[in-house]
Amino acid sequence: MTGLQGIDAKRQRAPSKRALATRKRVFDAAEKVFAARGFDGATIRDIAAEAGEPVGTIHHHGGGKEALFHGTVARRAADLSQARLDALQRLREQGDPGLEGVLGAFIRPFFDLSRDDPRWRDYARLVAFVSADDRWREISAACFDETAEVFLAEMMICLPGKSRLKVAEGFVFAVSALLALLTTQKRIEALGGGVTPEEEQVGHLIGFCAAGLRT
């Protein structure tokens, strides 16, 4: 095969805009259905109906149900991790970020992304399912652990004398609180009898998590 023939072959294999649009529609639908019903409650037929595509299209773009679930979790993970690492790097460039700064760099990007695209709230529900179920430990490890290790190391610097185990406990508690705020704000309104601006809630969350880690 000549060089030009190889280039032509690659062009032929590249997905079309239509195929890319269909794939996005499939994964958007999967994200919404999995977030609402969890892995066990969702079906490929549910996802096909949400996407407005035949079942065969869902299998073509996402594989089987478990592969589609993994792909749906992985799809946004890199963007979230990069936003968090960028936020942390900006703080490092300004000096010692401190514990509240480190927590803010981890927590705030999820809310920022959710303001720009409400589908990130569905993603938060999906991450909550993954975090709570040991079946998906490999997915968590592949999608989130590398970035978690960076933030865990930063928190240990801010908390001299604390064991890695205790810092890890506090970090996992903070992740749970983050996901709870992203997905259950209406519950706070119902119990509190009012609406707090989200930025104020996020500040409260960061302070709450920092106090817990120091305890």
Side-chain angles (χ1 to χ4, degrees):
M1 179 182 289
T2 67
L4 288 176
Q5 287 174 327
I7 292 172
D8 288 341
K10 289 180 181 178
R11 285 175 178 168
Q12 290 172 3
R13 289 195 297 270
S16 65
K17 289 182 179 179
R18 181 178 178 181
L20 290 172
T22 301
R23 178 178 173 81
K24 182 179 183 302
R25 191 158 55 249
V26 166
F27 278 92
D28 284 346
E31 182 176 73
K32 185 174 182 178
V33 173
F34 282 133
R37 305 181 187 181
F39 177 81
D40 294 318
T43 69
I44 293 295
R45 289 190 179 280
D46 294 332
I47 294 166
E50 179 66 34
E53 297 287 347
V55 168
T57 299
I58 308 302
H59 285 293
H60 174 74
H61 287 281
K65 184 178 172 182
E66 188 166 329
L68 178 59
F69 185 75
H70 191 160
T72 304
V73 176
R75 183 176 66 141
R76 295 188 190 271
D79 288 343
L80 179 58
S81 291
Q82 192 60 56
R84 285 168 163 167
L85 294 171
D86 288 347
L88 181 61
Q89 182 59 33
R90 288 192 294 270
L91 286 174
R92 284 170 170 167
E93 291 170 356
Q94 298 169 11
D96 181 6
L99 182 58
E100 282 80 2
V102 173
L103 284 166
F106 185 82
I107 290 170
R108 291 186 188 280
F110 215 145
F111 287 90
D112 293 341
L113 290 164
S114 298
R115 290 189 201 105
D116 293 338
D117 182 354
R119 286 172 296 188
W120 278 91
R121 304 277 175 175
D122 289 334
Y123 187 68
R125 293 183 181 90
L126 191 60
V127 174
F129 280 125
V130 170
S131 300
D133 193 329
D134 283 342
R135 285 182 297 174
W136 313 123
R137 182 68 195 91
E138 290 185 6
I139 297 179
S140 291
C143 294
F144 305 118
D145 278 11
E146 184 176 351
T147 299
E149 286 287 348
V150 172
F151 280 87
L152 185 60
E154 289 287 338
M155 289 176 192
M156 292 184 69
I157 292 171
C158 298
L159 296 164
K162 295 282 188 183
S163 69
R164 177 183 172 91
L165 176 60
K166 289 301 180 185
V167 177
E169 285 178 354
F171 176 67
V172 172
F173 296 163
V175 172
S176 297
L178 158 65
L179 295 172
L181 183 56
L182 274 165
T183 58
T184 61
Q185 288 172 319
K186 295 296 183 183
R187 181 62 175 157
I188 296 172
E189 294 174 17
L191 290 172
V195 180
T196 303
E198 185 174 85
E199 182 56 33
E200 186 176 332
Q201 288 181 329
V202 173
H204 185 188
L205 173 62
I206 292 168
F208 179 87
C209 294
L213 276 158
R214 290 191 175 103
T215 299

